[in-house]
Amino acid sequence: MQKKNLRRLKGVSSKQAQRHVHEFEGSTKLAEAGADRHNHRFAGVTGQAIRAGNSHVHEIDLNKTDFLNHFHNLKKIRTGPAIPVGNGKHVHFVTGLTTVNDGHQHQFNFATLIQAPLV
């Protein structure tokens, strides 16, 4: 009975279930030339799992990379499907382009971290 009350307090009904998410971190590829050549770092947490065929994907909507007199966003990026890494765990590969800012954009490639690493 106490669990039901706790769910209600948190705003989660008994029919809702949180699907898993992944942490991620990465760096963009270099852009621009000469003294302006640079990259950006970023980190965050994916959205919840979205069923896709026999697997699932996650959406990434990151508002800002690190600061270097300008920011880039990773908007509505979808991961690839789950890649098994053993013990029932998996990661996702992600590739894409940042938003344009300061007249350029960056490519990026990274893998998410393993979901629920301690569980």
Side-chain angles (χ1 to χ4, degrees):
M1 192 70 168
Q2 196 171 16
K3 276 189 175 181
K4 278 187 179 180
N5 290 336
L6 184 58
R7 276 194 203 118
R8 204 170 321 160
L9 288 174
K10 289 184 177 179
V12 177
S13 78
S14 60
K15 292 186 179 187
Q16 290 176 317
Q18 179 177 344
R19 297 173 306 278
H20 73 275
V21 296
H22 294 262
E23 297 167 292
F24 62 87
E25 59 184 1
S27 295
T28 65
K29 294 189 177 191
L30 292 168
E32 296 197 289
D36 288 336
R37 193 157 175 82
H38 69 280
N39 70 334
H40 295 266
R41 295 175 302 169
F42 52 86
V45 178
T46 68
Q48 295 188 44
I50 302 165
R51 178 65 51 204
N54 293 332
S55 186
H56 67 279
V57 297
H58 297 266
E59 190 167 280
I60 293 173
D61 198 4
L62 183 68
N63 287 330
K64 292 186 177 130
T65 58
D66 69 329
F67 179 74
L68 181 67
N69 78 9
H70 66 279
F71 294 105
H72 293 276
N73 299 331
L74 280 65
K75 300 300 275 179
K76 298 193 185 245
I77 304 294
R78 288 257 170 131
T79 70
I83 302 167
V85 295
N87 294 330
K89 302 290 185 175
H90 69 274
V91 297
H92 296 266
F93 188 67
V94 186
T95 185
L97 293 169
T98 65
T99 55
V100 175
N101 194 349
D102 195 30
H104 68 277
Q105 65 187 151
H106 297 264
Q107 292 181 317
F108 56 83
N109 299 318
F110 64 90
T112 64
L113 301 179
I114 296 171
Q115 89 285 8
L118 300 178
V119 180

